[in-house]
Amino acid sequence: MPMNLFLAPINMVDVKSIRRASISFSFFFLIFVTQACASEPEWNQAMHRHHTIEGFRNYPIVEDPPSLGFSFYLRRFISSFSSPDVPKSHIMTEKNAISLYKELNDKNTITWIGQSTLLIKIDGKAIITDPFFTKYASPSPIGPRRYVDPGLSPENLPTIDVILVSHNHYDHLDSNFIESLDNKDEIQVLVPLKLKSFFSERNYKHVHELDWYEADSIYNIRFTSLPTVHYSGRGIGDKNKSLWCSWAISSPRGQYYFIGDSAYSPSIFKEIGKEFGSFDLAMVTIGTYGNRKYGVNNHTTPEEAVTIGKEINAKALLGIHWGTIDLSDEDPWEPPKRFEEAAKKSGYSHEDIWIFKIGETRKLPGY
C-alpha cells in the first residue's frame, strides 16, 4: 500500500479535530470578549474618544463654540491700556507673602500666585501649576494684561521640583518663565498629550506626557491626568492640536484636585468623584464666565465650580482663575462673592471655602 494512502485517514482525523478545536476556541473567545466589553467600566470605555484625526476634542462631545467676535477682541485690546481699581485686601505685598511662606516652611502648603498659578509644597517638594508670570497673556505686549503682579516673583520662588500644566493657553503656560529656570535637568514636568515638545525644545530632560486617565508617580506623589471641558491653542492654526486636562494629586499627605480650566460637564466630574472617592481640597475655576454673552462657554460660573466640588466629593474648595487678568466681561470682583454664597448654600462651612489674597499661603488640608 502506498505510504500516502496509509497516512490519509490519520490526516483527515487530524484536520477534523483541528477544525473542531478551532471552532470551539473561537466560540469561547467570542463569549469572553463579549462579556469583557459588556462589563467594561465607563471610565475605560471613554479613554480615547477625545482623540481626532486632527488632534483632540471634548468628550462627551461639546459643540465647538463660535468665534468670540469683534466686540470681544475690541474689549480685550482696550483693556490692555487700562486696569480696574484693585482693592488693597486682594493682594499681599511680596514682602509679607515671602514672610508668610517662610513661617510655614516646615509645613505642606499652598500659595496662590495668581490666575491658576499655585505653588504647592508636599513633603518638601515644590510643585508649580500652570505658571503665568508675565504681563500679557499673548505673544506680544498687546492684548489681555494682568492688573496685579504675581504674589511671588520668579526670583523669590523656592527651587521648583515639579511643573504641572493643564493646557497651553498663554495665561497657563508662560514661555519666559519656563525658559528662565536653571535646573531644567532636574525638574519633572507633567503635561497633557502633544505638549512635551514645548519643554524638550527648551532643554527640559524629564517630561511626562499623559493622556486622560493616565498617571505617573514622582517623589511618592501620584499625578493623574483627567478630563475637562476646554480647548487648546497659542496661535493661528493650532487649535486643539494639544490636549487639555485637570489633575488629581494623590500623596500620603492628602489628595487634591487641580482643575486648570473647564466648563461644567454633567458626567465628567461625577465619574471623577466615583473613581477617586474624595479630595481634601479642590482648586476650581470661578472666573472668566462673562464671555457667555458672546455665545462661548468654556469656563465655569462660581456656582458651577461649587457643583463640581460637590460631585468630586471635595472637602474644601479654593477659588482660582480670577482677580488677575482681564479675559472676560464680568465684574472682576464678583466671582468670590458668588462663589462664597453658592458654597455656603451647598453646605460648605466658612473654614472650607478658601478665597485667597494674591500671595497668600495656607497649610494644605490632609492627613
Side-chain angles (χ1 to χ4, degrees):
M1 178 182 292
M3 184 66 67
N4 60 337
L5 291 177
F6 179 77
L7 293 176
I10 298 176
N11 289 340
M12 289 176 64
V13 171
D14 288 346
V15 169
K16 288 179 180 179
S17 299
I18 292 169
R19 284 177 179 172
R20 283 197 297 270
S22 298
I23 291 170
S24 299
F25 175 81
S26 299
F27 176 75
F28 285 110
F29 180 77
L30 180 61
I31 292 175
F32 173 80
V33 170
T34 302
Q35 290 178 339
C37 291
S39 62
E40 184 182 14
E42 291 181 21
W43 186 265
N44 292 329
Q45 289 177 8
M47 282 195 68
H48 298 295
R49 295 178 184 175
H50 55 290
H51 290 234
T52 68
I53 295 173
E54 296 81 14
F56 303 95
R57 65 179 180 179
N58 289 302
Y59 190 86
I61 295 171
V62 176
E63 186 177 350
D64 206 30
S67 170
L68 286 164
F70 177 76
S71 296
F72 169 82
Y73 291 107
L74 178 62
R75 286 289 296 271
R76 303 289 80 74
F77 176 76
I78 292 172
S79 73
S80 67
F81 300 101
S82 62
S83 298
D85 293 330
V86 178
K88 290 183 179 180
S89 60
H90 179 55
I91 184 167
M92 299 180 69
T93 65
E94 187 163 15
K95 180 180 178 180
N96 289 342
I98 293 170
S99 177
L100 178 58
Y101 183 80
K102 288 182 176 179
E103 283 178 23
L104 298 170
N105 189 50
D106 61 339
K107 308 294 184 183
N108 295 312
T109 58
I110 183 168
T111 306
W112 189 35
I113 292 172
Q115 200 65 346
S116 294
T117 308
L118 298 154
L119 177 63
I120 302 171
K121 187 171 64 177
I122 300 175
D123 287 340
K125 298 301 180 183
I127 304 163
I128 195 158
T129 68
D130 285 6
F132 171 55
F133 289 86
T134 51
K135 196 70 175 175
Y136 293 89
S138 70
S140 63
I142 295 176
R145 187 179 77 163
R146 70 187 308 150
Y147 46 80
V148 294
D149 291 332
L152 293 173
S153 54
E155 58 269 22
N156 287 320
L157 293 174
T159 299
I160 299 300
D161 297 295
V162 177
I163 298 174
L164 191 66
V165 176
S166 67
H167 63 297
N168 70 352
H169 286 162
Y170 284 94
D171 60 319
H172 294 258
L173 183 54
D174 179 344
S175 60
N176 290 336
F177 174 80
I178 297 303
E179 290 172 359
S180 72
L181 296 178
D182 293 329
N183 57 329
K184 297 181 180 67
D185 289 347
E186 301 170 356
I187 296 175
Q188 303 286 330
V189 182
L190 293 115
V191 296
L193 291 184
K194 301 299 182 182
L195 267 185
K196 181 175 182 177
S197 61
F198 185 94
F199 288 86
S200 299
E201 290 167 1
R202 291 164 173 81
N203 299 317
Y204 283 80
K205 306 301 182 186
H206 308 286
V207 186
H208 310 258
E209 190 180 73
L210 304 182
D211 199 354
W212 288 353
Y213 311 108
E214 291 183 340
D216 211 338
S217 293
I218 300 166
Y219 302 126
N220 204 29
I221 303 169
R222 188 168 180 82
F223 298 89
T224 307
S225 169
L226 296 168
T228 56
V229 182
H230 207 55
Y231 67 106
S232 67
R234 290 174 74 87
I236 298 172
D238 70 341
K239 185 176 181 181
N240 297 347
K241 298 294 185 184
S242 62
L243 188 57
W244 49 97
C245 72
S246 59
W247 293 96
I249 305 169
S250 307
S251 80
R253 305 302 178 189
Q255 185 158 259
Y256 312 102
Y257 179 71
F258 172 67
I259 200 168
D261 249 356
S262 186
Y264 178 69
S265 164
S267 60
I268 286 174
F269 303 105
K270 291 173 183 174
E271 286 298 319
I272 290 172
K274 289 178 184 177
E275 180 71 14
F276 285 86
S278 66
F279 293 91
D280 295 289
L281 177 68
M283 297 143 259
V284 290
T285 299
I286 66 170
T288 321
Y289 51 84
N291 293 330
R292 294 189 183 186
K293 64 188 284 186
Y294 302 108
V296 174
N297 179 11
N298 44 42
H299 296 88
T300 53
T301 64
E303 293 79 14
E304 289 168 339
V306 172
T307 299
I308 288 172
K310 297 296 287 186
E311 290 180 349
I312 66 172
N313 306 311
K315 299 173 185 176
L317 302 177
L318 169 60
I320 60 172
H321 204 276
W322 71 278
T324 306
I325 187 169
D326 181 12
L327 288 172
S328 183
D329 281 9
E330 76 267 10
D331 182 317
W333 315 117
E334 178 184 81
K337 297 175 184 176
R338 288 176 53 175
F339 175 61
E340 183 174 20
E341 182 179 350
K344 285 180 178 177
K345 287 181 179 179
S346 294
Y348 285 98
S349 68
H350 176 74
E351 291 74 21
D352 295 329
I353 306 167
W354 289 20
I355 301 171
F356 277 19
K357 297 178 181 180
I358 299 282
E360 184 175 351
T361 298
R362 293 189 193 182
K363 290 189 292 184
L364 275 173
Y367 319 134

